[in-house]
Amino acid sequence: MNGMKNIDKAQVLVLKEQIGYQKGQVVSKTLAQNEALSVTLFSFDKDEEISTHESGGDAFVTCLDGVGKITIDGAEYELREGESIVMPAGHPHAVYGKERFKMLLVVVF
């Protein structure tokens, strides 16, 4: 098992401050990755998206900042700071920055 990376340890931090926004882009920062789990921070500029795809694991999303739109099997859900949703494995889903939007993504395989 690989440990956490790209993040300070044994220190109190604010997750949304660990990744910045970039104009016209989706930015990602991997914090952990192995065969069982991936933990990634994402920031979306307004109107940027990750288009529809499927994942081999359940994808747990928590909004850290802004407003995002999550689409699962064609149904739309709006996420605001502090709210979470699970995008189930094998179901088509997409993520869109309704406003500038930061999220923590934990995928459990």
Side-chain angles (χ1 to χ4, degrees):
M1 293 271 275
N2 301 322
M4 300 289 286
K5 61 182 183 180
N6 298 323
I7 196 165
D8 293 328
K9 298 177 183 172
Q11 168 175 330
V12 176
L13 45 80
V14 178
L15 267 182
K16 68 182 177 185
E17 294 173 357
Q18 304 304 303
I19 191 166
Y21 288 110
Q22 289 190 31
K23 187 162 177 54
Q25 290 190 47
V26 176
V27 182
S28 67
K29 183 186 219 183
T30 300
L31 303 183
Q33 182 124 36
N34 59 48
E35 59 287 337
L37 183 79
S38 75
V39 181
T40 312
L41 286 173
F42 282 89
S43 74
F44 292 73
D45 197 13
K46 182 175 166 55
D47 296 327
E48 294 301 314
E49 68 181 327
I50 297 174
S51 57
T52 303
H53 62 284
E54 293 181 19
S55 169
D58 286 334
F60 175 75
V61 172
T62 298
C63 176
L64 303 174
D65 188 44
V67 183
K69 182 179 78 178
I70 310 293
T71 305
I72 303 169
D73 289 326
E76 294 183 0
Y77 305 87
E78 199 169 275
L79 272 195
R80 297 177 181 274
E81 186 172 343
E83 296 179 333
S84 300
I85 195 167
V86 175
M87 304 183 291
H91 290 256
H93 58 263
V95 182
Y96 174 80
K98 237 180 138 155
E99 304 293 336
R100 292 201 317 173
F101 170 60
K102 291 180 183 176
M103 71 181 200
L104 176 68
L105 173 68
V106 178
V107 182
V108 181
F109 296 101

